[in-house]
Amino acid sequence: MKKDIRLLISESLKDSLKGLGLFAEVKEELYLDTPQDLRFGDISSNVAMKLASVLKKSPRQVATEILEKLKPHLDKPGLKEYIKDVKIEGAGFINFFLSDHYFYEQLEFILGKGEIAFEASIGKGLAVLIEFVSANPTGSLSVAHARQAAVGDILANIMDYSGYKVTREYYLNDEGNQINILGKSVLLRMKELVGEKIDFPGDHYQGDYIYEIAKAAKEKNIKQEEMGDFAGNYILDIIKKELDDFGVKFHVWYSQKTLREKGKIEAAFALLKKKGFIYNDDGALWFKSTAFGDDKDRVVIKSDSSYTYLAPDIAYHQDKYKRGFKILINLWGPDHHGYINRLKAAVAALGQDPDSLHILIVQLATIFRSGKPVQMSTRRGQYITLQEVLDEVGKDASRYFFIMRKISSHLDFDLEVAKKQTPENPVYYVQYAHARIWSILRNSEVKLNKGADLSLLKEKEELNLIKKILQFSYILNVCLKTQDPYMLTVYLQELSETFHKFYDSHRVLTDDAKLTQARLCLIEGVRILIATGLDLLGVSTPEKM
């Protein structure tokens, strides 16, 4: 943005706190919020309430002291012309009211820059690896994997837009017990296909897709010892197509088998042994994870010489750092919650900062059809796949719906709502706002003039719309801070609703040519922001609906 008013206010607050000798008492970064009710200003700070208990004063008294120290800063160029008023309200909030001039200037900047207007350099080119989905190639992707795919891909888009250098990676567990069971499952179905009567084990993969793989393996005369690899690669091709249809593309497909064959697991263990963090007990090798805060030490190589899940993970994460990544983000399902501490311990033992590893737990999703949840069981093949969701509701609705709740919350995905071509469908509602604006701009006899007099926009609904447009940067910062793209869908809903309220209250095409020009600029600003948001979501921006 042309003027990062939040940064200017934040820096002024910091200087004021330093002047009062209080800055050291603010344990976390100064956080400026956006009041839900515009009557309480455009930007708000609760720093006085954070300091009240430390100073043993009321929040309003602390806020008054801060504001007195802040006033000289507000008279400086860069703030004086943009801040109309500052008030202490409620329990002790310091609320900032911005001038109309600020809003006009920012809207003019957006009109000039288009969809890159809010691009930021927050990331400063920092190399980030986001590893997500990483489902074993033993079946099509489930909706749980689909939700992780949507979250990971959209978070990567937001980080890219914000100046990080992001790599998307899929970790492929292409060896071990699950692949062996998959191969045996296919082999047994092959025997069935030639008329043999078999007793199919309950812990094997039982979906119809196993028959399809068995038919393909039979046609190609795949050997028994190659069956697991063949089946895994067959399913991997299916997974890649599902993700491609979903709009998710990975830069790297990282093979666990290759990790082992290149000796990277042994190299990681050699380093940990040298540091004294690997020991032998009862024929098994243990990682001394309690030295780094874990509740107990962990086995990495069993007494039968087979690896636990932790063994290749340690080597894999060491390799991530060796490749130069400064921030690692892993998206996991809720069944991996207890695994976090041991992996952070491993990162610390390898000599890396455990805080550079961010593990995001993405809660499960339930698909509803006709008001009833669809039951799921991976082994038995009784689950709805990502491809089925895509075939039924399309990519746009699928991506949008999968991030409509915080990742920490369970998600209910209603297929019937996702198919509706009405405002009840959130993605339709947002896309319709974009298409409606295109229609107005296309059909207007008065053509868009980005140099129009924006000061003619004085109605409450007009100013509210500009204010909502300018919240975009704040929303992206929230997404980065929480590492959750959910708020972007909330913002797009609110922006679309604010636009529709304006449109229902005021004509865009008026008898006053200058006012028409200004309002065309206003709705073009809305269109730019909706298009930018939908692009980050990987959702299309239709011009007609």
Side-chain angles (χ1 to χ4, degrees):
M1 287 298 292
K2 184 177 182 182
K3 292 287 184 181
D4 190 343
I5 196 70
R6 289 176 180 273
L7 179 60
L8 294 175
I9 291 174
S10 179
E11 292 300 321
S12 296
L13 274 172
K14 288 178 182 178
D15 289 341
S16 301
L17 291 172
K18 288 175 182 176
L20 292 168
L22 298 175
F23 184 64
E25 301 297 337
V26 182
K27 303 298 183 184
E28 55 188 83
E29 179 185 350
L30 278 174
Y31 187 66
L32 299 177
D33 205 349
T34 298
Q36 286 292 319
D37 191 332
L38 293 176
R39 292 177 301 172
F40 298 114
D42 302 298
I43 298 173
S44 180
S45 172
N46 65 351
V47 66
M49 284 176 279
K50 289 183 178 180
L51 291 170
S53 59
V54 177
L55 301 176
K56 295 181 170 49
K57 297 179 181 179
S58 74
R60 289 188 69 89
Q61 185 179 352
V62 176
T64 300
E65 293 176 12
I66 294 173
L67 183 54
E68 284 300 313
K69 205 71 175 176
L70 181 64
K71 282 179 179 178
H73 295 280
L74 301 181
D75 285 331
K76 294 179 180 178
L79 281 177
K80 183 177 182 180
E81 60 269 38
Y82 295 129
I83 296 180
K84 180 169 57 179
D85 198 4
V86 184
K87 296 179 181 178
I88 298 170
E89 297 180 302
F93 290 97
I94 303 174
N95 293 337
F96 298 83
F97 296 77
L98 305 181
S99 68
D100 292 349
H101 173 66
Y102 170 78
F103 295 117
Y104 300 144
E105 189 176 278
Q106 299 306 297
L107 177 57
E108 182 181 8
F109 178 78
I110 293 169
L111 291 168
K113 290 291 185 178
E115 291 187 26
I116 66 169
F118 287 87
E119 281 188 354
S121 57
I122 297 171
K124 298 178 181 178
L126 208 61
V128 178
L129 182 69
I130 300 184
E131 183 230 319
F132 58 108
V133 185
S134 298
N136 292 343
T138 54
S140 294
L141 295 178
S142 69
V143 293
H145 300 129
R147 190 180 187 197
Q148 293 175 33
V151 171
D153 191 54
I154 294 166
L155 179 60
N157 287 344
I158 293 171
M159 295 190 78
D160 270 329
Y161 190 79
S162 302
Y164 293 89
K165 186 178 180 181
V166 181
T167 297
R168 297 161 167 85
E169 185 157 290
Y170 188 117
Y171 180 71
L172 192 60
N173 187 351
D174 52 357
E175 64 178 1
N177 190 49
Q178 299 302 317
I179 297 297
N180 292 335
I181 292 175
L182 176 66
K184 291 175 183 177
S185 301
V186 174
L187 185 63
L188 290 173
R189 292 308 186 198
M190 283 181 67
K191 291 180 178 180
E192 273 191 334
L193 290 174
V194 296
E196 286 189 41
K197 187 175 181 180
I198 64 164
D199 183 15
F200 201 89
D203 65 345
H204 282 36
Y205 295 96
Q206 301 184 28
D208 290 342
Y209 68 98
I210 299 297
Y211 283 106
E212 295 174 10
I213 301 172
K215 290 175 184 176
K218 184 173 178 295
E219 289 175 3
K220 294 179 179 294
N221 295 316
I222 302 300
K223 297 178 182 178
Q224 180 174 337
E225 62 270 20
E226 299 172 347
M227 196 63 68
D229 287 342
F230 174 80
N233 288 327
Y234 187 100
I235 291 172
L236 181 58
D237 287 340
I238 294 173
I239 289 173
K240 286 182 176 180
K241 182 184 183 303
E242 288 176 324
L243 289 169
D244 190 60
D245 290 346
F246 198 38
V248 177
K249 297 185 184 299
F250 287 93
H251 298 107
V252 180
W253 295 79
Y254 195 104
S255 164
Q256 179 176 305
K257 183 186 291 187
T258 302
L259 178 80
R260 177 183 55 78
E261 290 174 346
K262 289 189 174 181
K264 293 183 179 181
I265 299 176
E266 287 82 356
F269 283 172
L271 175 62
L272 293 179
K273 283 179 182 177
K274 185 177 179 180
K275 291 185 171 188
F277 299 133
I278 297 289
Y279 65 92
N280 191 306
D281 186 27
D282 286 337
L285 287 184
W286 293 70
F287 166 48
K288 196 181 294 183
S289 55
T290 51
F292 302 94
D294 198 7
D295 59 339
K296 61 181 180 180
D297 291 344
R298 307 291 176 173
V299 176
V300 286
I301 300 182
K302 302 175 189 176
S303 56
D304 64 1
S305 298
S306 63
Y307 293 131
T308 65
Y309 284 114
L310 184 59
D313 273 351
I314 292 174
Y316 175 43
H317 283 76
Q318 182 187 40
D319 188 65
K320 289 181 180 182
Y321 287 109
K322 282 188 173 182
R323 283 184 279 156
F325 294 105
K326 303 302 181 185
I327 299 175
L328 310 184
I329 300 176
N330 296 354
L331 272 68
W332 291 352
D335 54 333
H336 289 79
H337 202 285
Y339 200 76
I340 296 174
N341 286 343
R342 68 193 76 173
L343 188 57
K344 279 186 169 283
V347 165
L350 291 168
Q352 303 294 338
D353 180 2
D355 289 338
S356 66
L357 172 62
H358 304 261
I359 297 175
L360 311 181
I361 298 297
V362 182
Q363 291 298 322
L364 299 178
T366 299
I367 297 294
F368 282 79
R369 181 185 281 120
S370 301
K372 296 180 180 178
V374 179
Q375 298 300 318
M376 300 185 189
S377 170
T378 305
R379 283 270 170 87
R380 299 189 66 83
Q382 296 173 345
Y383 68 101
I384 187 168
T385 66
L386 167 59
Q387 192 63 57
E388 288 177 282
V389 175
L390 288 170
D391 291 343
E392 191 157 343
V393 305
K395 177 175 75 74
D396 287 351
S398 298
R399 288 179 68 99
Y400 198 100
F401 271 60
F402 274 124
I403 66 160
M404 279 177 54
R405 294 289 181 272
K406 293 179 181 179
I407 62 173
S408 59
S409 300
H410 187 96
L411 174 75
D412 290 339
F413 190 131
D414 192 321
L415 293 171
E416 306 306 320
V417 173
K419 288 186 288 187
K420 287 183 177 180
Q421 300 291 302
T422 68
E424 187 182 350
N425 179 349
V427 69
Y428 176 88
Y429 185 71
V430 175
Q431 288 178 317
Y432 179 69
H434 184 271
R436 172 178 266 185
I437 294 170
W438 261 116
S439 177
I440 296 169
L441 293 170
R442 184 171 54 246
N443 296 322
S444 172
E445 292 182 2
V446 178
K447 297 308 174 186
L448 179 67
N449 173 17
K450 294 180 181 179
D453 183 1
L454 300 180
S455 67
L456 297 174
L457 302 173
K458 297 183 180 296
E459 299 289 347
K460 180 182 72 172
E461 291 81 7
E462 293 170 331
L463 292 170
N464 286 349
L465 195 46
I466 300 175
K467 290 178 180 182
K468 184 57 70 174
I469 290 171
L470 297 183
Q471 286 179 13
F472 188 66
S473 181
Y474 164 73
I475 294 298
L476 292 186
N477 286 335
V478 171
C479 292
L480 292 173
K481 187 180 180 72
T482 60
Q483 295 184 328
D484 186 346
Y486 148 77
M487 278 300 295
L488 185 51
T489 64
V490 175
Y491 169 77
L492 289 173
Q493 293 293 121
E494 291 179 351
L495 177 59
S496 300
E497 182 181 4
T498 307
F499 163 71
H500 289 304
K501 284 181 178 178
F502 156 75
Y503 186 81
D504 292 341
S505 301
H506 303 284
R507 291 174 56 199
V508 175
L509 307 178
T510 72
D511 295 331
D512 184 334
K514 291 184 178 180
L515 179 58
T516 296
Q517 283 286 3
R519 287 182 174 170
L520 287 174
C521 285
L522 174 60
I523 65 171
E524 169 63 3
V526 177
R527 189 203 63 76
I528 289 170
L529 265 297
I530 292 178
T532 305
L534 290 177
D535 283 346
L536 290 175
L537 295 180
V539 174
S540 67
T541 53
E543 297 180 11
K544 294 181 180 180
M545 289 182 71

